[in-house]
Amino acid sequence: MHGQVVRAQRGQRASYRPIVSALCNSAEPVAVARVLVAHCAARQLYVADLDALQGGDVQLAALQDVMRALPDVELWLDSGVADAPAAAALRAQLGNDASRVVTVFGSESLRSRRDFEACVTPDRHAVLSLDRRDGRRLDAAGCWDLPALWPARVIVMTLERVGTDAGPDLDTLHGVRYRAPTTSLFGAGGIRDAADLARARAAGAAGWLVASALHDGRLPPR
């Protein structure tokens, strides 16, 4: 947000503040991205462009700086893309870097079933984020009820657990997995420690988006 990495909490974006991390003494995107990738031996990095998600411009320069600094990392980018033309325009803006960017289409942002189909169906590399907050689906396009159209990778985003010590939302993950047993599911929010990650794996998660537990020093280096 505004060129800095911030600590997300419960999806309440007005309250987000620059990250204070046990891993580095900076909120600058390249510095934080480098230390996270090194700490986790990660090959993917999820980035939410909160300026763009709130209707502003994509933070193109910051994204390109991160891509140049991490040439072997695949970037999962959630920038509030709402339709196919916007997705195409974003990839054009990213230029050569676009080949390493996976567009995350959030149910929070997609406006209709037509937009959902036009964005996800032709793009085998797309990721769908099924977004919910406080038990309510954020889903004008009806994505949650169309598992036959879901791409191979789906994020189950429980916003009220992001940046909290509430634990992973395994109940929602179970429900989504029941409807799409062959889809690779990635949870988001609530991870406290390595035991939570083990529980998530046992529940069938292919991965989990984690930030706070890393920045607070509760997950050891891989």
Side-chain angles (χ1 to χ4, degrees), residues 18 23 38 49 51-52 62 65 84-85 90 99 117 119 122 130 147 150-151 156 162 169-170 187 191 220 222:
L23 300 179
D49 185 337
D51 288 9
D65 286 346
L90 175 59
S99 62
E117 292 185 20
C119 287
L130 296 174
W150 293 351
V156 182
V162 171
D169 182 5
L170 300 183
I191 291 293
R222 181 174 179 184

Side-chain angles (χ1 to χ4, degrees), residues 4 24 29 36 51 60 69 76 78-79 83 91 121 132-133 137 155 157 178 190 198 211 219:
Q4 293 185 299
C24 63
L36 285 175
D51 288 9
L60 195 61
W76 289 23
D78 186 351
S79 60
D83 54 42
R91 299 192 76 81
T121 304
R132 68 192 295 272
R133 181 189 287 115
R137 296 175 179 179
I155 296 168
M157 175 74 71
Y178 177 79
L219 287 171

Side-chain angles (χ1 to χ4, degrees), residues 14-30:
S15 66
Y16 291 3
R17 297 292 180 268
I19 194 71
V20 176
S21 176
L23 300 179
C24 63
N25 295 316
S26 176
E28 193 272 323
V30 169

Side-chain angles (χ1 to χ4, degrees), residues 42-214:
R43 295 184 297 274
Q44 290 86 24
L45 180 69
Y46 171 90
V47 174
D49 185 337
L50 293 164
D51 288 9
L53 278 162
Q54 296 178 103
D57 294 332
V58 174
Q59 297 176 77
L60 195 61
L63 293 170
Q64 290 173 325
D65 286 346
V66 169
M67 295 293 287
R68 282 191 289 267
L70 300 170
D72 299 320
V73 169
E74 179 181 75
L75 195 74
W76 289 23
L77 175 59
D78 186 351
S79 60
V81 169
D83 54 42
L90 175 59
R91 299 192 76 81
Q93 285 181 294
L94 291 168
N96 293 334
D97 293 323
S99 62
R100 287 192 290 120
V101 174
V102 173
T103 305
V104 176
F105 294 98
S107 67
E108 173 189 13
S109 302
L110 294 166
R111 295 174 296 207
S112 69
R113 174 170 175 166
R114 179 178 295 179
D115 289 327
F116 170 44
E117 292 185 20
C119 287
V120 175
T121 304
D123 188 348
R124 293 185 178 182
H125 301 293
V127 171
L128 172 66
S129 180
L130 296 174
D131 305 323
R132 68 192 295 272
R133 181 189 287 115
D134 299 326
R136 182 174 64 88
R137 296 175 179 179
L138 306 179
D139 189 19
C143 305
W144 281 77
D145 295 321
L146 298 168
L149 299 179
W150 293 351
R153 295 178 291 187
V154 170
I155 296 168
V156 182
M157 175 74 71
T158 306
L159 283 164
E160 72 269 18
R161 300 206 185 194
V162 171
T164 72
D165 285 332
D169 182 5
L170 300 183
D171 288 341
T172 300
L173 185 85
H174 278 303
V176 174
R177 186 163 185 77
Y178 177 79
R179 302 175 67 201
T182 63
T183 299
S184 294
L185 299 181
F186 297 81
I191 291 293
R192 296 164 292 195
D193 50 32
D196 277 345
L197 285 175
R199 290 171 58 222
R201 175 180 288 178
W208 211 275
L209 305 188
V210 182
S212 295
L214 290 164

